[in-house]
Amino acid sequence: MQQPYQRILLAIDLSNDIPDALEKSASYARHNNIQLDILFVLDPTIIVFGNAQAELSDENLYHLEKKASKQLKEIKNKLLAAGSSVYQIHTHLRFGDPRIIIAQEFPAEYRNDLIILGKTQKNHLQRFFTGSVSSYVIKTAHPDVIIMR
């Protein structure tokens, strides 16, 4: 039987709760010789209410970008040390609305045919104002979607 997936998108939030999703996704990619795109989307909008938005300062955004880039590099190095190929593992950092980027823009650009999401780190108030990324991705993404808990 032929492997149905050729390129997986693993969307992460750089929390401490991603190791299971990361390890399982990387192992699957390694054993099936397919590509794994690890994506972190940095949302500069911290509060959205109606038409009013509060955004991070340029300095705070710069520090978050550096921190995220460093963590993504560490993740890639860990997976390479575990036996993944440099041709299989790709890390990406994007800015914008995570829902739109994960569900539509990134898979269209990289031709991902499977999206894997870890469990959310948002509290109830954050989900109320920004909406659930997982719910949006499940409803609107063209590729298959798996939510790992």
Side-chain angles (χ1 to χ4, degrees):
M1 184 174 149
Q2 185 179 2
Q3 171 58 36
Y5 301 114
Q6 298 302 311
R7 192 158 188 153
I8 299 172
L9 166 58
L10 173 63
I12 61 174
D13 65 1
L14 298 178
S15 71
N16 292 330
D17 290 334
I18 62 162
D20 284 343
L22 182 63
E23 294 300 325
K24 289 176 184 175
S25 300
S27 176
Y28 185 82
R30 213 174 11 256
H31 287 59
N32 292 288
N33 197 28
I34 57 178
Q35 294 192 25
L36 176 63
D37 291 303
I38 302 168
L39 172 67
F40 175 66
V41 181
L42 187 56
D43 187 357
T45 305
I46 56 173
I47 299 173
V48 178
F49 188 75
N51 291 331
Q53 296 183 357
E55 295 189 6
L56 296 170
S57 70
D58 289 342
E59 184 177 339
N60 287 339
L61 196 57
Y62 172 75
H63 289 296
L64 285 175
E65 178 185 7
K66 280 185 74 169
K67 180 180 177 184
S69 294
K70 180 181 175 189
Q71 286 180 286
L72 285 170
K73 185 176 182 177
E74 290 170 359
I75 287 170
K76 184 172 185 174
N77 289 338
K78 178 182 175 187
L79 295 177
L80 294 176
S84 293
S85 163
V86 70
Y87 300 107
Q88 285 178 315
I89 306 298
H90 306 275
T91 57
H92 308 270
L93 177 62
R94 295 285 173 95
F95 294 89
D97 184 341
R99 295 171 297 172
I100 303 296
I101 293 172
I102 294 167
Q104 296 155 0
E105 293 176 4
F106 194 91
E109 183 178 344
Y110 285 89
R111 298 187 190 124
N112 299 102
D113 46 13
L114 175 64
I115 299 172
I116 300 175
L117 301 170
K119 69 178 186 176
T120 184
Q121 293 301 305
K122 290 182 178 180
N123 63 36
H124 295 294
L125 186 61
Q126 289 171 318
R127 278 195 303 260
F128 175 77
F129 285 114
T130 63
S132 169
V133 172
S134 299
S135 294
Y136 185 87
V137 172
I138 289 169
K139 290 176 186 175
T140 64
H142 291 291
D144 293 342
V145 179
I146 294 176
I147 308 296
M148 288 191 161
R149 294 197 179 262

